[in-house]
Amino acid sequence: IPIPVGALEENNVLVFEAGFFGGTRPYDDYTIADVYLVLSLVGSEGDGDGLRVAIDFKTNDKRNVINPHSKGRVWVAVLSDSEFDAQQVDPMTVALGAGGAVPDKYVSKYSNRDGILDLVLRFKTPEIGLQCGDTDVTLTGETYTGEKITGLDSLVTVGCK
């Protein structure tokens, strides 16, 4: 598969994941496997949207199931790693979803059990601007030094009839 190397920004990482999907099936004298290839470009500085950061929408729910009509609140973690310290994110600059929800509470917490302190923020669900059928949500913000950040996580909407 040709890779458009010229399109890659400096410091970006191209991630490949390959594996079998479904199973195998006979075709004449051969066995055909359904194979999938997932390509994702993980951005870094200079890509227009700011620094890409990992987030965990609904920190207590691996499936990230949410009812867009809920009047409740949801916790979202900005995850630290060996190259990014989420404690450097200014919570007052963070916005979530199409509605631009701002956090009503935030804490420093070990959210994903990697031993690195994360920033965990709470948002009012109606303010996020989720719609039935949405499959992801974006978080934006800035660090205390003014560097823009962007994070994206998948979700599943329920309660939509």
Side-chain angles (χ1 to χ4, degrees), residues 106-135:
Y106 59 92
V107 295
S108 295
K109 180 177 171 180
Y110 297 103
S111 178
N112 59 351
R113 297 185 178 99
D114 64 358
I116 306 173
L117 207 54
D118 305 305
L119 177 63
V120 185
L121 308 110
R122 188 177 71 179
F123 299 88
K124 293 178 182 174
T125 302
E127 295 177 2
I128 299 170
L130 294 172
Q131 301 295 318
C132 291
D134 283 354
T135 58

Side-chain angles (χ1 to χ4, degrees), residues 57-78:
F57 182 77
K58 288 197 76 177
T59 57
N60 60 345
D61 181 356
K62 290 183 188 278
R63 292 183 45 227
N64 298 341
V65 174
I66 189 162
N67 182 335
H69 307 296
S70 168
K71 304 294 184 208
R73 292 180 167 85
V74 61
W75 288 93
V76 180
V78 178

Side-chain angles (χ1 to χ4, degrees), residues 69-104:
H69 307 296
S70 168
K71 304 294 184 208
R73 292 180 167 85
V74 61
W75 288 93
V76 180
V78 178
L79 303 173
S80 295
D81 60 31
S82 61
E83 296 180 16
F84 176 73
D85 179 6
Q87 299 305 300
Q88 297 306 308
V89 174
D90 180 355
M92 306 317 289
T93 66
V94 173
L96 182 67
V102 296
D104 64 359

